[in-house]
Amino acid sequence: MSSQEIPEENLPLEQDAAHDAAGHEGTAVAERAGDEPFADPGLPAHKPRIQDIDERAARRSERAVAFMFTLSMLATVAFIASFVIFPVDKIVYIWPLGHVSALNFSLGMTLGLALFCIGAGAVHWARTLMSDVEVADDRHAISAEPEVKAKVLADFADGAKESAIGRRKLIRNTMFGALAMVPLSGVVLLRDLGPLPEEKLRKTLWAKGKKLINMNTNEPLRPEDVVVGSLTFAMPDGLEESNHDFNNEIAKAALMIVRIQPEDIKDKQELEWSHDGIVAYSKICTHVGCPISLYEQQTHHVLCPCHQSTFDLSDGARVIFGPAGHALPQLRIGVDDEGFLEALGDFEEPVGPAFWERG
Ligand code: FES
């Protein structure tokens, strides 16, 4: 059946007339804009689709597109619901994938379905309801004449009209709904960043009365165990490798202890916070957190092997060289009733890299 035989009441749009007008107008503009007359390559005659000639078929396509956009919205809702339904550590068996995380599987499937349905809906819309009339046009000079710009705007308006986005409100509304809801998936993904650290980065396991445990022998330290010239590493009493958060806690609480002649200690607070010349400092470099391990007993300097930041342990562990931003935090220590070295509180400032705490 040709378009000339279509009863007028069955034409869903006045699009054929518009296409013809657009095609002729495009040719005329090309002839005006180019140096050579435009030679039409002779496109085959347009064959109308079933949706072009039967409004009921067009309505079926419209419903199919709306169904896909609606399915996309439901998939996005399911994506968000997955975060509530599935615990992070739930594993399920899914053939043929084997054992997989239920949460990851559900997130992947629902997000994939939401995006696929938007794409499939858009493709089906374009293939069945938007204009499929081919138009040949000449290549123009790159800089457009004002009349060409006006033509582009007119074509754009025609395209919007031909897409029937204004007339087919069901498609338009469901498409906007689907597009608006998909970004919500990104909002709930923020949950994967984990809980806020709150005070965790500011606190360590050190507290008043915690014994200093030698990290090599696992025995509590006595003052006489710390001799001049040695570098001793310590951790808080009660921190054992079986602790589920051992690595995080030891990374914050690791301590280095040296003995300095009290008269060599230049910083007044350092002297007050020490015990008989024994000073305890965080072992974690304030640059980017490497463990400090090199001690030079003549100068009381400690060196971070990563980027050579050097700290003076006889002068409040201030930075004397390298990229570290501030001194190592000192732990106030004393001796308990049994004669063991003990902490007199937690560090008074955060340990480790300084960049996150300095605004
Ligand atoms: S981490 Fe210590 S100097 Fe860079």
Side-chain angles (χ1 to χ4, degrees):
M1 185 188 287
S2 75
S3 61
Q4 284 80 4
E5 295 167 323
I6 305 163
E8 197 161 314
E9 63 273 18
N10 276 356
L11 280 172
L13 296 168
E14 308 82 36
Q15 58 186 20
D16 285 349
H19 299 155
D20 292 346
H24 293 144
E25 180 66 16
T27 304
V29 169
E31 285 172 357
R32 283 197 300 276
D35 295 326
E36 299 293 328
F38 171 60
D40 192 319
L43 293 171
H46 173 242
K47 288 190 190 151
R49 301 158 300 188
I50 183 71
Q51 291 84 0
D52 294 332
I53 59 179
D54 184 348
E55 179 60 14
R56 281 173 303 178
R59 290 248 176 255
R60 275 199 300 277
S61 290
E62 183 178 10
R63 285 194 293 274
V65 174
F67 172 74
M68 283 185 255
F69 287 155
T70 305
L71 200 55
S72 170
M73 286 191 274
L74 293 175
T76 299
V77 171
F79 178 93
I80 295 169
S82 301
F83 274 95
V84 180
I85 295 169
F86 298 114
V88 173
D89 52 1
K90 182 166 179 59
I91 303 294
V92 292
Y93 181 80
I94 296 173
W95 186 90
L97 302 176
H99 289 92
V100 295
S101 158
L103 179 60
N104 287 349
F105 182 78
S106 177
L107 294 179
M109 291 299 288
T110 51
L111 184 60
L113 184 64
L115 295 174
F116 172 79
C117 285
I118 289 178
V123 168
H124 192 57
W125 181 11
R127 289 181 63 85
T128 60
L129 295 171
M130 290 185 188
S131 168
D132 67 339
V133 176
E134 286 189 71
V135 177
D137 206 347
D138 195 8
R139 282 197 180 176
H140 307 170
I142 289 179
S143 63
E145 302 292 331
E147 61 194 38
V148 176
K149 291 180 184 169
K151 174 67 174 51
V152 169
L153 290 175
D155 285 349
F156 183 79
D158 282 349
K161 187 177 169 197
E162 285 167 8
S163 72
I165 196 164
R167 196 166 75 85
R168 298 197 185 276
K169 292 191 171 52
L170 184 58
I171 287 182
R172 184 195 62 193
N173 294 343
T174 51
M175 180 189 73
F176 285 151
L179 289 176
M181 288 190 67
V182 158
L184 291 179
S185 309
V187 174
V188 293
L189 282 175
L190 293 176
R191 195 191 78 156
D192 283 353
L193 294 177
L196 291 172
E198 296 175 347
E199 287 290 287
K200 269 192 193 162
L201 296 176
R202 296 187 170 274
K203 303 276 183 209
T204 73
L205 285 185
W206 289 110
K208 184 167 172 42
K210 284 263 180 191
K211 285 191 176 69
L212 276 59
I213 305 296
N214 187 322
M215 286 172 70
N216 289 328
T217 63
N218 257 346
E219 297 293 328
L221 280 164
R222 293 178 180 276
E224 51 270 31
D225 297 331
V226 184
V227 295
V228 172
S230 71
L231 180 65
T232 306
F233 299 125
M235 61 182 180
D237 190 15
L239 179 58
E240 292 172 6
E241 287 196 35
S242 54
N243 286 20
H244 79 286
D245 213 13
F246 175 82
N247 287 335
N248 280 334
E249 292 301 342
I250 196 68
K252 291 189 296 177
L255 212 58
M256 59 184 172
I257 302 164
V258 298
R259 184 188 281 274
I260 302 172
Q261 297 299 346
E263 57 273 19
D264 290 343
I265 297 178
K266 304 179 192 104
D267 184 88
K268 185 163 172 286
Q269 177 181 288
E270 178 179 1
L271 190 59
E272 286 170 5
W273 287 17
S274 67
H275 172 78
D276 196 22
I278 299 172
V279 294
Y281 280 97
S282 168
K283 177 177 158 60
I284 311 303
C285 180
T286 55
H287 180 218
V288 290
C290 285
I292 294 169
S293 55
L294 304 171
Y295 176 54
E296 210 287 298
Q297 77 168 87
Q298 301 297 326
T299 58
H300 311 300
H301 292 171
V302 283
L303 177 80
C304 175
C306 287
H307 313 101
Q308 283 70 54
S309 284
T310 308
F311 306 85
D312 184 354
L313 292 193
S314 67
D315 192 10
R318 70 183 174 86
V319 183
I320 57 170
F321 179 79
H326 69 109
L328 298 168
Q330 184 181 2
L331 187 74
R332 192 175 194 155
I333 57 169
V335 171
D336 66 11
D337 297 342
E338 301 167 278
F340 293 110
L341 287 171
E342 65 169 2
L344 298 181
D346 197 356
F347 289 104
E348 298 220 338
E349 57 186 317
V351 299
F355 48 79
W356 61 271
E357 55 162 318
R358 313 279 179 220

